[in-house]
Amino acid sequence: KNKFNLILSSRKKTSISKKFSSQFFSHDFEKNSNNTTLEKKIRQFTNSLQGLIITIAKPFPNKFIHNTDYSLFEEQINIHLLALHNIIKNCLPFLESSKKICTPRITYISTEYLIGSPPIKIAPYLAAKSAASTYIKILAKELIFKGIKVFILCPGMIKSKLTADIPEEYFNQ
């Protein structure tokens, strides 16, 4: 609207890129954890970023903790924490280069369940979100001295593909 670029990245193209007529590239951290690949993809569009909005999630089965295989916890940690780290590591130089024209910002989308009483059967997701939110809190302390502001938003659960298998009672809480 104000002639700012909007670059979207996701594992697969989403309708939001069409809605905003934005540039889009795909990057799957599960298949490609190579840091230089993400940096090269971003560099195709721009040399600086004024902000990042990061929301990471992957569907998971609703099981009690004692019925959850270790691999599910590992998968959630990898996608939430390690992918987040790769995004930050790759995007930080782009954010730093925009400090002459603005205060760069990073906004991480977490979950309100880290604040309140979490529902049962989503332990791998919440454990990974908790690790990622702690990472972001520390990052905020480190980057404020570089002139980059970091925020965490913790919305409630919304109906989406991610939450399709979650019982209605969790939404009502």
Side-chain angles (χ1 to χ4, degrees), residues 4-9 13 16-18 20-26 42 44-46:
F4 291 107
N5 289 326
L6 175 63
I7 304 169
L8 298 170
S9 176
K13 194 156 188 163
I16 196 167
S17 61
K18 290 178 186 174
F20 290 108
S21 301
S22 67
Q23 300 163 328
F24 175 84
F25 70 88
S26 178
I42 295 170
Q44 290 176 348
F45 299 105
T46 187

Side-chain angles (χ1 to χ4, degrees), residues 4 6 12 17 24 32 36 38-39 41 49 58 64 75-76 86 88 96 103 106 114 136 143-144 153-154 156 159 167:
F4 291 107
L6 175 63
K12 56 188 174 191
S17 61
F24 175 84
N32 186 357
T36 59
L38 179 58
E39 182 181 342
K41 287 180 177 181
L49 294 171
K58 183 176 181 182
F64 289 113
E75 176 186 73
Q76 289 291 315
N86 284 332
I88 298 299
E96 289 175 324
T103 301
I106 298 171
L114 298 182
I136 290 293
L143 294 185
I144 195 69
L153 294 179
C154 297
K159 293 189 185 255

Side-chain angles (χ1 to χ4, degrees), residues 67-135:
N67 292 333
T68 302
D69 188 65
Y70 169 84
S71 63
L72 187 58
F73 282 94
E74 185 175 42
E75 176 186 73
Q76 289 291 315
I77 289 290
N78 285 343
I79 196 65
H80 287 274
L81 184 61
L82 301 180
L84 173 64
H85 177 68
N86 284 332
I87 291 168
I88 298 299
K89 191 172 182 178
N90 280 272
C91 292
L92 194 54
F94 295 101
L95 292 163
E96 289 175 324
S97 69
S98 71
K99 288 191 307 187
K100 295 174 187 165
I101 60 169
C102 70
T103 301
R105 290 171 167 76
I106 298 171
T107 302
Y108 175 69
I109 310 297
S110 187
T111 174
E112 72 175 352
Y113 289 125
L114 298 182
I115 300 167
S117 177
I120 59 173
K121 297 185 178 181
I122 62 172
Y125 171 78
L126 289 180
K129 277 292 192 190
S130 181
S133 293
T134 299
Y135 176 99

